[in-house]
Structure formats: structure tokens, C-alpha cells
């Protein structure tokens, strides 16, 4: 992508409304724009990151056997009356009347709808286990949306829903998502720690929040420090192995970890003092097992091997991609801007032409841009006529992992500079060497 | 994907509510499910097709230089008051009050919002041309939604918006989208004919609808029959060439083509009788040039090379992916079900195990499934214990282009049958030959 043809409205000033660093950097880098209170557009740079985050989430959901569909954003009130949540859900639910005066709502979550889909077509235990997920917009009319897309009203959520015949089978489904979440956050460059959690309005018996540690986190969390070095399940994890997944779950829940709502001072104090980690955290995922809470009132049942009908045991599993993007920034930035993990960077490499219009610089940059693009790299080519200092600042701000810098002096020697955004290390090398480093 | 682990709720009976063949087939194949009147879930099979359609649309938008972002579904009424459309737009606009009692709406289109994004950050003609698009849900509260996702209330739209300094430049932007649309529909396996169109509530001076011919089309259309054989712009089309794109536009508008609203009986009668094509059509795309209709009231202007401020000239360009899927089915099906063009098929190949549980059949199918999947093919493996007749009917219904059929007799000879869904042609060949045919 040539920057001259891209749309990346960089802000020179720090936006006053932004209280936390991720919000500030997302606005400054032109990743998002607020359209109404708590409602954002994802501008092209932000959209690219969001797409990469979603691709990783999707990949790991699929690996764990979940099946993607897409449910609509608007739901009928009737469905929520069946579960009893229509009245129970407070003002965060955006209630709507259509032109026929029928009560509708903008879905804050999808337990009711997916249960309705399930009961309309699944009749036998032979079709279980089943896990259906979608990545869809949700709306929660928060009284005080803040921190940019970290806590917005219209937001994106990956929500998965599992259906099983028995509690034991449902626990295996829960463990699949537990392991998938560990893998997902790891691939996003985050260290997420599962913590026993309150079940809130979703309800249920078993629940974990996945928390990343960050100074700007909204909640206080307490855990054993060994979590920081635990191994994440590998890509060849067998999601069909009940024992294998149980072992992963057991290991990752073997040490103390709790959010402030579930905190048990005495239990935490039993952890050796040097191993106690008390920090601020950001919730990036939340999983629930809630048994027959929805299947009973909504009549979602299957015939079991015994010939009798059984209400299915369900769980739900949420990750907020539009929240993950700022969470990644909170965990990875410096004074100059964002430092993207390679897996979610909006571009792999930025090529900086220090003197656009200079024939040698232009030719060199075009050569590198073409070679790397052809090799399948996402390359941003800064071909604008901004001055070099502005280009360096922009490249640092938007956090692309690698910068290839072509200035007149180096180019005259057939060389360019390669800079690592994270370490700041710069290396001068031939143009060919620079290309070869990234074309393997 | 193993069918035993997929979620594809096939209906055995023809759904009574479906009036047209695409709606009937989408319900029967378990592609969609109605959740409320005119509001649908896309079940996994449908979601796969929708994703492939969107990928082609996106690819061609990017090729034409449009930049993707993502605007939210909910908009503030204020924005629409600026353009004057808040009061003008009728009951199709879903109006909402949030918990603070602020008037909002579920966006039926995004001219106002994208103009707001533009005016907040673009100040100079040097940043033009600019074309921003997104693929996002929209809501239009139709009084009579029907034909499944062909005319639903919540639907997906790819909407692009171009910004230019002058009318001439805006016409080039229009021609880019014109050519991109021809390419898009061609890749989707459709023959779409651009027809001069009424501009409706979007407004404007120049507008074309892209229409595919289908007996179940909603509107009557009239055109020269030569359109059916016109060449579509190739993948190396130079979208920067003003003359090149103008020539494409001129050619594709050189012959008579009009929807019934714009029909000119006398002009049509001037076409030689044998060349007149009068048929029913389905609108699959609509493009508009509307000059300064939004930029003037909303103050979207840039500084020109003359140092003065100019209101930008705009156009908008819509394609409805959730409408395209049934349109493709209307154009490509037979009595047994859907016949997907390869480019949008939910799977490339279905492997049918005629006797699951038979060791030789199982081994053969597993071998083929693994080899084709490894080669990057999307393979559906029907490993269920349904009887062979049911499996054949399902494979035909869901319209996967190629069926590889493994029955005990053929497998005993080391052979399988390969069936072409479209022609019905069957060919017996060795297992190796079957694999090699699709692994190139």
C-alpha cells in the first residue's frame, strides 16, 4: 500500500478526551474515530489490525471444533421473554420498536437466539457435541462508555455456544474453549491468565475470565507469579482428548488467581509471599458453563441414548476483538507509539523514502516495495513528500515491526537502513540483503 | 470439514413460506434461518458462501484503489439532520432512542457518516482522489420483506464513497467502480448488465443499476442482446487510465439498456427487433454520482490548487452481498438443488462415503480427504451413517461443484467415481487419478 493512496489521518496533537494510552494512540494513529458517544468507526489502519485479530480468533475457534455462523444484530423481544431475561436485563439493553410497533432489541449477547436455532433443528444426542460461534456486533448501552473501544457501546464480540448431552461432556467443551483461549491470546502476543470469575447476568456455575496484566487495567487482580511463565498448549493439541484437555485446565487452575470480586484474602496469603502477584488487569475473554439455564425454559432438548429427552447442557465463550486491540496496545507501546506484535501488525514492513522525488531513492524504494509485496508481505510504502522527521515519527507511532529506510546517502552506496521498531536497533545493509532478510 | 462435525440442518420438505427458488433452496440446504420477519441468521453453509462473495467484492474494490474501513451500524440523528435526510427518509429508517433519550438510527446507508469522516480530516486536494468503503450491516424497515435474504430488513451492504475535486475527476472515480463491478459480478459467475437508473433517495445526476437476468426478477428490463457476450475488463485493467476506463464505460453504455422506470419505448424500438431482449431482472449493484449534494450542506471541502476552497464531488457505490447469494442461486440451479460457481462454492469438493463403517470405504475416503485438504482444497467429507441415496440428494442440493463418490464395489477395484454437479457427468477412475485431478 502506498501511503499517498491510503487513508491514515494522523493527529499531531494528543487528543484531550483520551484518558488511557491505548485510546490516545489509536486516535493519534488514525485507527479509530468516535461517531457518537461510545460508537466508533474503525479507520483503515485500525481495520487492518482488527481483521488480523479476528483471523487468529477464528483460526483457533475452528481448530477447537467450533463452527462459524452469523446471527443478526437485531432480535425480537419475544425470544428474551422466553428465557426471562427481557425484564431482568437493565438499561444496558437497547430496546427498539419497529414500524409495526413490535418490540425488538439490539443483541447484547446471543444465548437465546442460538438456543432457538439449536432447538429448531437438533433432535438427537448423535448430533452432539456442537459449538456454534459468530463474530458479530453487539450493543450495550453503558451509562459511561470510556477508554475508546476498550469500553464502547457498539462493539464486536466473538461469542461461541456449546451444546452437550451431559455435564461431563459440557466440561470437555468448556476445556476446549479454555485451551483455545490460551492459544488465541498467546498468538496475539498477550499473556492472559485465567481467573475464577463471577458469572454476572449470563449466569452459571463455572466461569473464568482471561485477564492480561496492565497498569491501566480496570480491575485489581491477584495471582501466583508462576502463571507468567506457564507453557501455552501447542498447535498440535488434541482437542478430542478429554484427559489431555483436563490436564491443561487443571494445570492452569492449579495456582491462585482471582479478580477482586472473587478474591479470597486468606487463600492468597497462603501463597508464599515472594510468589504473590497483585496487579491491575484487563479482561480480554470470559467463558461460562451454565448447564440448563437456557435450555430448560426454552425447551432445547435432545433424545439421549436411553431414548428419553434431555435438556442440553450449555456454555458460552466470549472474546471482544474491539477491546483486544487496545488491550494489545496497553501491553505493548513506548513513548513513541505502538509496538505491534508481528501477528497483528497492520503492515509487516514500512518502507520509508527519505527523499521522495530523488530518482535513486524512488527507484530503490520501488524495487524493495515490489519485491516484498510480491513475496506476500504487507508493505506500507511511505512515498509522500513529508519531511524525513515526520515520516520517522509516523512509522514509530503506527508501530509497524520493521522499517526499511532509504536515504540519499545510503542509497548512493547501494544501501538502506533496517530498523527494528521494538528494540530500536538499526542496521545498514545492501538493498539485496534487506530484501532477502524478509523474503525467505 | 467432516459432515458429522458440521452444522447443516437440511430440510426434507419444501418450506411453504418460500415463494422463489433461491429462498426455498437456501432454507432447504440449511444456509439461512429466519429469526424475525426479514431478519436472518446465516448458518454455517450460508456463511461460507457469503464469506467467499465478500472476499471477491473486497478484492475488486482494493484493485480499483478503494480503501476499506468499518463504520458502525448505529448513527446519530443529528448527522442526518445536517444533510436534511432525517425528516425526508420515511418509515424505512429504524429510529431509536438510547438510554439518554438521544435520537439514533440504524444506518440504512452511510453518505452522511463518511462525509463527516472526510471533512474531519481531509483538507487538501492533494489527498484526493479518495474512495472509502466498508462491508457492513444495514437496516431498512421494509413494509413487506420477502424472498428470504433477497429483500430482508437487516442485510449486508458493501458501500463505497468517492471524493474528488472536480466533476471530471469524480467521473473517473465512477468509472473505476463501474469497471470493478463488471469484474466482481463476472467473478461471481454472473452476467450483470449496467442500466441507466433512477437515483431514488440517494439523489444525484448519474446512476447505473447492475442487473442480472432471471425469470424470478422483481423488475422488467429491456436491453440489447449483445450485452450477453460483451467482454469484461481483465485483471490487468489500469484503473489509473482515464481514457482506458472511459472506453470501458462507453462500450458498456453504447447499447440500449434500461429498467422499467427509465424505459424509453421509442428508443428500444429503434433496436433491431431480433436484438431486443426484454426480460426480468434482479438488481445486484447500484452506483451513483451525486456531485456536491452532501458535501455542500455538510461543509466537506478541500483547498484546491488555486488556493480556494471547493466542495468535493462525491459518488456512492453499493453491492448487497446478502442479496447476491440468492441472486446467484436464481441464476444457477436445477431441479435437484443449487449449482455453485466454483468461485463462491461453500466447499470445492464433497467426498461421499457410500458405506461409512466399511473399512475399505473409510480408508479410501480418509485418504482422499486428507490429500485434498492438504493441497488447500475446501473439502466436505460426508462421513455420516445416512444411506447413500440421502447423501447423493444432499450433495446435489448443496451444490458443491465436484462429488467424489466411494462405494464398496468401486473401492474394491481401487476406484472411485467423480461427478460434476453441473453437467451430471460421472467418471470412474483410480483413487490416485481422482486426487491428482484436483491437486495440480
Amino acid at each position: 500500500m502506498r501511503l499517498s493512496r491510503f487513508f491514515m489521518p494522523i493527529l499531531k496533537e494528543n487528543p484531550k478526551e483520551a484518558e488511557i494510552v491505548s485510546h490516545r494512540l489509536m486516535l493519534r494513529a488514525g485507527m479509530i474515530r468516535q461517531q457518537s458517544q461510545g460508537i466508533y468507526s474503525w479507520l483503515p489502519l485500525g481495520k487492518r489490525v482488527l481483521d488480523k485479530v479476528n483471523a487468529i480468533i477464528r483460526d483457533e475457534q475452528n481448530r477447537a471444533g467450533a463452527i462459524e455462523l452469523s446471527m443478526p444484530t437485531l432480535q425480537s423481544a419475544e425470544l428474551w421473554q422466553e428465557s426471562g431475561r427481557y425484564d431482568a436485563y437493565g438499561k444496558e439493553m437497547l430496546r427498539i420498536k419497529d414500524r409495526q410497533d413490535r418490540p425488538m432489541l439490539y443483541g447484547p449477547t446471543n444465548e437465546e437466539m442460538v438456543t432457538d436455532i439449536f432447538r429448531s433443528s437438533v433432535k438427537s444426542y448423535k448430533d452432539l457435541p456442537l459449538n456454534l460461534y459468530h463474530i458479530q456486533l453487539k450493543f450495550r448501552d453503558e451509562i459511561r462508555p470510556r477508554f475508546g473501544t476498550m469500553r464502547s457501546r457498539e462493539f464486536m464480540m466473538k461469542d461461541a455456544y456449546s451444546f452437550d448431552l451431559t455435564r461431563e461432556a459440557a466440561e470437555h467443551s468448556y476445556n476446549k474453549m479454555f485451551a483455545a483461549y490460551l492459544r488465541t491470546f498467546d498468538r496475539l502476543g498477550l499473556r492472559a491468565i485465567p481467573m475464577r470469575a463471577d458469572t454476572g447476568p449470563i449466569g452459571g456455575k463455572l466461569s473464568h475470565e482471561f485477564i492480561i496484566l496492565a497498569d491501566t487495567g480496570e480491575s485489581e487482580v491477584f495471582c501466583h507469579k508462576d502463571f507468567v511463565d506457564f507453557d501455552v498448549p501447542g498447535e498440535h493439541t488434541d482437542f478430542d482428548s478429554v484427559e489431555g484437555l483436563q490436564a491443561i485446565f487443571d494445570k492452569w487452575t492449579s495456582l491462585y488467581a482471582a479478580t477482586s470480586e472473587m478474591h479470597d484474602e486468606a487463600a492468597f496469603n497462603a501463597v508464599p509471599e515472594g510468589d504473590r502477584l497483585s496487579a491491575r488487569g484487563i479482561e480480554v475473554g470470559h467463558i461460562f458453563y451454565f448447564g440448563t439455564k437456557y435450555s430448560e425454559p426454552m425447551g432445547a432438548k435432545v433424545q439421549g441414548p436411553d431414548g428419553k429427552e434431555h435438556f442440553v447442557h450449555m456454555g458460552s465463550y466470549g472474546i471482544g476483538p474491539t477491546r483486544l486491540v487496545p488491550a494489545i496496545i496497553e501491553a505493548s507501546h513506548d513513548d513513541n507509539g505502538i509496538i505491534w506484535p508481528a501477528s497483528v501488525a497492520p503492515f509487516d514492513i514500512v518502507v520509508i523514502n527519505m527523499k521522495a522525488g530523488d530518482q535513486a531513492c524512488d527507484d530503490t524504494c520501488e524495487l524493495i516495495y515490489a519485491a516484498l509485496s510480491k513475496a506476500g508481505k504487507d508493505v506500507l510504502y511511505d512515498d509522500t513528500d513529508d519531511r524525513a522527521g515526520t515520516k520517522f515519527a509516523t512509522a514509530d507511532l503506527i508501530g509497524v515491526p520493521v522499517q526499511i529506510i532509504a536515504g540519499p546517502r545510503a542509497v548512493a552506496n547501494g544501501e538502506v537502513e533496517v530498523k527494528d521498531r521494538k528494540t530500536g536497533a538499526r542496521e545498514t545493509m545492501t538493498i539485496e540483503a534487506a530484501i532477502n532478510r524478509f523474503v525467505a
Side-chain angles (χ1 to χ4, degrees), chain A residues 9-11 14-15 18 20-32 45 326 329-330 332-340 396-399 421:
Chain A
I10 299 289
L11 298 186
N14 262 326
I20 61 172
V21 66
S22 58
H23 188 193
R24 200 155 57 231
L25 289 173
M26 288 175 79
L27 289 170
R28 283 199 49 212
M31 289 179 62
I32 54 169
L45 191 75
I329 296 173
E330 290 293 332
S332 184
H333 66 272
D334 64 15
D335 288 346
N336 297 324
I338 302 164
I339 301 172
W340 292 115
D396 279 357
L397 174 63
I398 66 173
R421 169 66 183 91

Side-chain angles (χ1 to χ4, degrees), chain A residues 16-213:
Chain A
K16 280 183 284 291
E17 71 269 32
E19 297 170 53
I20 61 172
V21 66
S22 58
H23 188 193
R24 200 155 57 231
L25 289 173
M26 288 175 79
L27 289 170
R28 283 199 49 212
M31 289 179 62
I32 54 169
R33 178 164 194 280
Q34 179 166 285
Q35 302 296 154
S36 311
Q37 200 197 9
I39 301 181
Y40 289 83
S41 283
W42 286 76
L43 302 183
L45 191 75
K47 179 67 165 59
R48 292 178 78 97
V49 176
L50 189 58
D51 285 348
K52 294 203 176 181
V53 167
N54 282 335
I56 289 173
I57 292 172
R58 185 172 279 128
D59 197 39
E60 294 300 332
Q61 290 293 296
N62 294 346
R63 187 195 308 276
I67 310 282
E68 188 173 9
L69 44 59
S70 182
M71 292 178 269
T73 59
L74 295 197
Q75 308 186 16
S76 74
E78 230 170 88
L79 203 55
W80 287 65
Q81 279 152 354
E82 281 194 59
S83 72
R85 282 208 293 181
Y86 187 66
D87 295 321
Y89 225 101
K91 288 195 164 182
E92 283 194 8
M93 177 186 279
L94 186 67
R95 294 157 208 259
I96 302 170
K97 289 246 170 111
D98 72 5
R99 72 187 290 175
Q100 321 271 18
D101 223 34
R102 280 174 301 214
M104 313 278 296
L105 57 98
Y106 199 121
T109 177
N110 282 63
E111 280 81 7
E112 283 79 358
M113 190 177 279
V114 79
T115 302
D116 179 51
I117 290 172
F118 180 90
R119 70 181 172 185
S120 73
S121 55
V122 182
K123 305 295 177 196
S124 163
Y125 75 96
K126 290 181 190 160
D127 295 322
L128 303 183
L130 181 64
N131 184 325
L132 298 173
Y133 78 97
H134 69 162
I135 300 180
Q136 180 60 291
L137 294 171
K138 309 283 185 294
F139 198 91
R140 290 183 191 164
D141 204 353
E142 306 239 10
I143 186 77
R144 205 190 147 213
R146 62 203 153 124
F147 303 153
T149 65
M150 185 79 88
R151 186 172 282 278
S152 56
R153 297 198 294 165
E154 182 170 324
F155 61 99
M156 195 171 276
M157 190 156 85
K158 184 289 296 177
D159 36 329
Y161 303 89
S162 65
F163 302 88
D164 284 280
L165 182 65
T166 63
R167 170 164 187 144
E168 292 66 41
E171 282 174 0
H172 179 52
S173 292
Y174 187 91
N175 290 348
K176 283 184 191 173
M177 288 293 110
F178 188 94
Y181 275 36
L182 290 174
R183 283 192 47 76
T184 301
F185 297 124
D186 186 59
R187 287 182 61 188
L188 295 172
L190 296 171
R191 167 57 42 147
I193 300 169
M195 304 196 181
R196 278 299 289 267
D198 193 19
T199 56
I202 304 284
K205 300 165 181 180
L206 176 63
S207 177
H208 286 87
E209 286 180 19
F210 289 76
I211 304 272
I212 63 161
L213 307 181

Side-chain angles (χ1 to χ4, degrees), chain A residues 195-196 220-223 256-271 276:
Chain A
M195 304 196 181
R196 278 299 289 267
E220 221 181 338
V221 298
F222 307 86
C223 69
Y256 188 84
T259 60
S260 52
E261 301 96 58
M262 300 291 278
H263 186 47
D264 175 344
E265 196 73 32
F268 188 53
N269 286 337
V271 174
R276 286 180 218 156

